[in-house]
Amino acid sequence: QVQLVESGGGLVQAGGSLRLSCAASGRTFSDAAMAWFRQAPGKEREFVAAISGSGISTNYADSVKGRFTIARDNAKNTASLSLRMSSLGPEDTAVYYCAARSWGFLSDLSSNYPYWGQGTQVTVSS
């Protein structure tokens, strides 16, 4: 079965950097977009960044553009997704989720992603 497992979250001071990773397994991912979403306490889940199956195309939320970088590596029946975050602020505090589509191009809609990880907490102190 498909599994997505995030890692790399933690506590960081404002202005600092953090790198999240997601290990995906259980199917071929090279033909499907993957993405990062986040959910802060009391708020709805929001789109952060997405990357195409090939890794050539990316899309970012305006709030993270220029600060976050999404990347991926594909292998047979596995993929690794990363999110490099810099210039972090308290507004970036949230649970970050890795997501994968079953097929298709990148999207900022969470409903287009049937596969999700369990999330990893990122806390930015001021």
Side-chain angles (χ1 to χ4, degrees), residues 7-96:
S7 61
L11 174 64
V12 63
Q13 288 188 333
S17 300
L18 209 57
R19 183 179 184 271
L20 305 182
S21 297
C22 173
S25 62
R27 58 156 287 155
T28 299
F29 293 94
S30 59
D31 58 349
M34 297 184 72
W36 289 96
F37 289 79
R38 67 186 181 186
Q39 187 166 18
K43 295 187 177 181
E44 293 188 354
R45 190 170 298 187
E46 66 174 0
F47 169 75
V48 175
I51 188 167
S52 62
S54 65
I56 293 175
S57 299
T58 58
N59 187 31
Y60 295 91
D62 288 342
S63 60
V64 307
K65 203 170 291 184
R67 300 189 299 122
F68 290 12
T69 302
I70 189 172
R72 68 184 290 168
D73 285 314
N74 295 323
K76 184 178 181 180
N77 290 337
T78 64
S80 60
L81 184 71
S82 66
L83 184 69
R84 190 175 302 274
M85 306 182 293
S86 61
S87 301
L88 287 163
E91 67 277 10
D92 296 312
T93 294
V95 177
Y96 284 71

